[in-house]
Amino acid sequence: MSQPLRVGNASGFYGDRFAAVREMLEGGPLDVLTGDYLAELTMLILGRGKMKDPDAGYATTFLRQLEESLGLAVERGTAIVANAGGLNPRGLADRLRDLAARLGIEVRVAHVEGDDLLARAGEFGFADSPYGAPLTANAYLGAWGIAECLKAGADVVVTGRVTDASLVVGPAAAHFGWARDDWDALAGATVAGHVLECGAQATGGNYAFFEEIYNVKAPGFPIAEIHADGSSVITKHDGTGGAVTTETVAAQLLYEIGGPAYAGPDVTTRFDTIRLAQDGPDRVRISGVEGAPPPASTKVCLNHLGGHRNEMTFVLTGLGIEAKAESVKARMAAAFGDAPPARVEWTLIGDAKADPATQGEATALLRCAVLDPDPHKVGRAFSNAAVELALAGYPGFTMTSPPGKGAPYGVYSPAYVPNEAVDHVAVTPDGTRVPIAPAPVTAPITGAGGQEGAAQSPPQAAPRGPAVRAPLGRVAGARSGDKGGDANIGVWARTGAQWDWLEPFLTVERFKELLPETQEHTVHRHVLPGLRAVNFVVEGLLQEGVSASTRFDPQGKALGEWLRSRLVDIPEALL
């Protein structure tokens, strides 16, 4: 068997651990080091930056990271592939060449472009929105532009908006010489890419049972050893913190997904075919992944400027928390008068304990978030009105912040265009422009799964014996996140016996009972038996995406932990 391709990750988002690039290069051998810097919110941030400076639009952190590590990467023979190009991959590639020249390092830089569809917004109807023309419009490109750059000898490849997994699939396709229709291999690498894309989330970060693996070192970043058939082993550098187990990997696989058919521009990956197995300490083998042709359309990330937002948080202490909260709401409603902000959302957080021994135990927080197209209405007029209650409001009045003028917010929405409408181009180190054709075969998304409330494994006999009222998290882990305005909550069982109970128990109806805030929303349930997991997608819970959401948890990151804290009747034999 040929040697596997060792692909590491050093960034899960724009703002991740700065030292990770150097740590990954110093920690052990790597063939490729990837970095994921983009998210829907990041594209909005870069778009606003590009409005002020047309030469901006890329992740400047990446440049600073390579200033200290580019020489080390060249010395180790490690290729670097990152989507840090954002809205300006060509500009970032030019800056990297300038950096290499200044450092006296010989390096071949390539980039991938064609994802930016903003100039064609009218052609595709993207401007037909209540918010007018979009600020950004970027198609999710696939892996083959990256592969073309690497085959042309690039040491560094920077892209704009590609799918997160493409950062891993591209190098694997180039290395193993996969064909465009090697569906299973492409799907296997896509799964490895999905595990790597969020960095330390695969090695114990944000892990439901974190107390079992906690240590004083920060979790190491993940590595995928990818084989020619697309199977892989997930691991990390020796001596780094965290852990790689079937559960830490399963948790990441459940993050920000929908149904079992995971569609991308190059392949549709069947997440219900994934098989995980422990392959030694800090080693998890991924196998059995099946793929199919991708759909005929490509997803586009649209960001519009939606208006302005602000928030103020009132500290309520001691007796009469509810009465104090109602007093604030009434006084602020009076201050708004006949023209309140377009959206006003109140959230009461916590409650005062009886006979509190500390002031913290005596305290609750009341948060008011406001959105409006008019910056003045939600600016100092709003925050000043809150502060003016200081000597005229409830007893013990205090706030968590001074008055502020607020900030613009963006609205995310997905769109779709025909695959052939996207001009995907690889620009090789010598400047040659290589057009990348869309997938040669497409197919609609079909197959098992995706039915709301549907079970995909045969019902099992419930364990006999008494039940115990206990938190669901005693037998199940969860990870949650955002998919635009939708939220996903993936829930997995720790043992086979617990899965036999959990799968028929956690229906859509029971899910809505446990999380009452989801009751007015459409909820889809998807079963992933290979991961002993069910995934729930809640439509519209996060409103119009993270930047516009007035929820206290705008990205849905803590929904899974809320679900795990709910009390349910669990068979005693499972505890």
Side-chain angles (χ1 to χ4, degrees), residues 129-291:
S129 145
Y131 302 102
L135 174 66
T136 69
N138 295 81
Y140 286 82
L141 303 181
W144 293 100
I146 295 170
E148 192 67 37
C149 290
L150 291 170
K151 287 191 289 185
D155 304 304
V156 180
V157 182
V158 292
T159 76
R161 179 73 277 186
V162 298
T163 70
D164 298 339
S166 292
L167 301 173
V168 173
V169 179
H175 180 77
F176 294 113
W178 291 338
R180 295 292 299 261
D181 60 355
D182 282 335
W183 307 124
D184 290 352
L186 293 168
T190 297
V191 171
H194 187 72
V195 174
L196 262 59
E197 69 182 56
C198 288
Q201 276 198 167
T203 59
N206 295 343
Y207 177 56
F209 305 102
F210 71 100
E211 292 163 307
E212 297 177 6
I213 60 172
Y214 178 77
N215 58 42
V216 295
K217 293 181 180 178
F221 277 65
I223 298 166
E225 298 174 353
I226 304 174
H227 294 271
D229 63 354
S231 65
S232 62
V233 172
I234 306 300
T235 185
K236 62 186 183 71
H237 283 320
D238 292 340
T240 56
V244 179
T245 70
T246 54
E247 287 193 75
T248 66
V249 172
Q252 173 55 25
L253 286 171
L254 293 171
Y255 184 62
E256 294 183 346
I257 63 168
Y262 187 83
D266 299 320
V267 64
T268 293
T269 302
R270 296 295 317 195
F271 270 50
D272 50 359
T273 62
I274 298 171
R275 296 296 178 267
L276 303 180
Q278 202 71 39
D279 195 51
D282 290 322
R283 292 178 63 82
V284 170
R285 182 170 297 279
I286 301 176
S287 62
V289 184
E290 297 177 9

Side-chain angles (χ1 to χ4, degrees), residues 39-50 87 135-136 301 303-306 408-411 546-548:
E40 292 149 3
L41 178 60
T42 314
M43 300 301 282
L44 172 69
I45 294 169
L46 295 176
R48 289 177 57 196
K50 206 165 188 293
L87 299 174
L135 174 66
T136 69
C301 168
N303 277 298
H304 291 81
L305 289 175
Y409 73 87
V411 173
V546 53
S547 181

